[in-house]
Amino acid sequence: RTGGGDTAQIRFDQTVYNFGTATEGDEVGGKFHFHNAGDAVLKVQIPETSCGCTVASVKPDTLKPGESGEIVFTLDLTNARGAVGKTITVPSNDPQQSSVTLMITGAVKAVYDFSPQFVFSADAAPGLTNQATIHVQRLDGKPLRITKTELTKEFLKVTVIPETNSPSRAARLVIEARAAGQPEQYSDILTVYMENSTKPAFLIPVAG
């Protein structure tokens, strides 16, 4: 310490949390433990996450010297696949390190394969309809049962067509954009739900 006075010091047991292997769409959670190694009261601010898929909280947020706390997090693995790395930034009144970056890592097994992963429609003349096709396949051997698809734009429509060569494992999503009124650029998110689930299976950006 420099300058004499007492200071707070935040110390984490570990700054990397590896959840191992999970499946696309799972929700994983964990904790980072820390303590106040200084001589003054430690005040921890609200943790900041690198994406909306990660939620983190701190308890308690005020620690006397020697007291312990934890950062609790949950990570939503919708649309996640392969190696995953997310961060949580923890600000505090520790003068030596005003913020600590925590890392969440792991591997995610894909359940769905879809192509393309982003749909961009060509220009459509008024009164005409553009079509784009997304090919979807289920990879874990279970049947592909799409129960609901959602888009917010009224001029966009989605039709689910099972693939004839593999009806239980694959399907086509045909997106139709009908041009009407003034020319405009649009962007939307196609949200796809599966049987027996209230949370989306995957999301596909749509624009044109």
Side-chain angles (χ1 to χ4, degrees):
R1 290 200 306 277
T2 57
D6 293 339
T7 58
Q9 291 186 353
I10 189 167
R11 291 288 180 271
F12 279 87
D13 295 357
Q14 60 180 44
T15 55
V16 178
Y17 185 103
N18 188 304
F19 60 78
T21 301
T23 302
E24 177 185 1
D26 282 354
E27 190 171 272
V28 299
K31 297 176 181 179
F32 290 92
H33 297 278
F34 66 93
H35 66 278
N36 180 3
D39 302 320
V41 172
L42 173 68
K43 294 184 177 177
V44 183
Q45 289 149 39
I46 297 171
E48 302 159 11
T49 60
S50 59
C51 70
C53 56
T54 310
V55 178
S57 60
V58 58
K59 59 180 187 180
D61 58 5
T62 303
L63 290 81
K64 295 174 185 172
E67 288 187 336
S68 298
E70 56 191 24
I71 304 293
V72 181
F73 72 85
T74 56
L75 172 60
D76 184 347
L77 296 174
T78 300
N79 264 43
R81 47 193 56 205
V84 169
K86 305 293 181 183
T87 61
I88 303 171
T89 304
V90 184
S92 75
N93 65 334
D94 180 344
Q96 297 296 318
Q97 44 180 356
S98 58
S99 71
V100 178
T101 300
L102 308 174
M103 189 83 181
I104 307 165
T105 63
V108 182
K109 291 186 293 186
V111 175
Y112 306 102
D113 184 45
F114 48 92
S115 177
Q117 297 190 351
F118 176 87
V119 174
F120 189 84
S121 296
D123 294 349
L128 297 180
T129 300
N130 264 353
Q131 280 194 352
T133 300
I134 302 164
H135 296 275
V136 181
Q137 187 174 3
R138 184 148 185 164
L139 304 173
D140 60 0
K142 296 178 183 176
L144 178 74
R145 295 202 176 112
I146 298 173
T147 53
K148 188 169 66 167
T149 57
E150 288 180 346
L151 284 161
T152 62
K153 306 292 185 191
E154 293 178 1
F155 53 82
L156 295 176
K157 178 184 157 194
V158 186
T159 307
V160 181
I161 305 171
E163 294 282 20
T164 50
N165 58 350
S166 180
S168 67
R169 305 272 188 272
R172 282 174 291 150
L173 301 177
V174 179
I175 299 178
E176 295 180 327
R178 185 171 181 82
Q182 293 297 314
E184 66 166 313
Q185 290 185 330
Y186 68 89
S187 62
D188 207 339
I189 297 285
L190 172 60
T191 308
V192 181
Y193 295 86
M194 296 294 160
E195 187 176 68
N196 301 325
S197 179
T198 56
K199 65 176 283 192
F202 54 86
L203 314 170
I204 301 175
V206 178

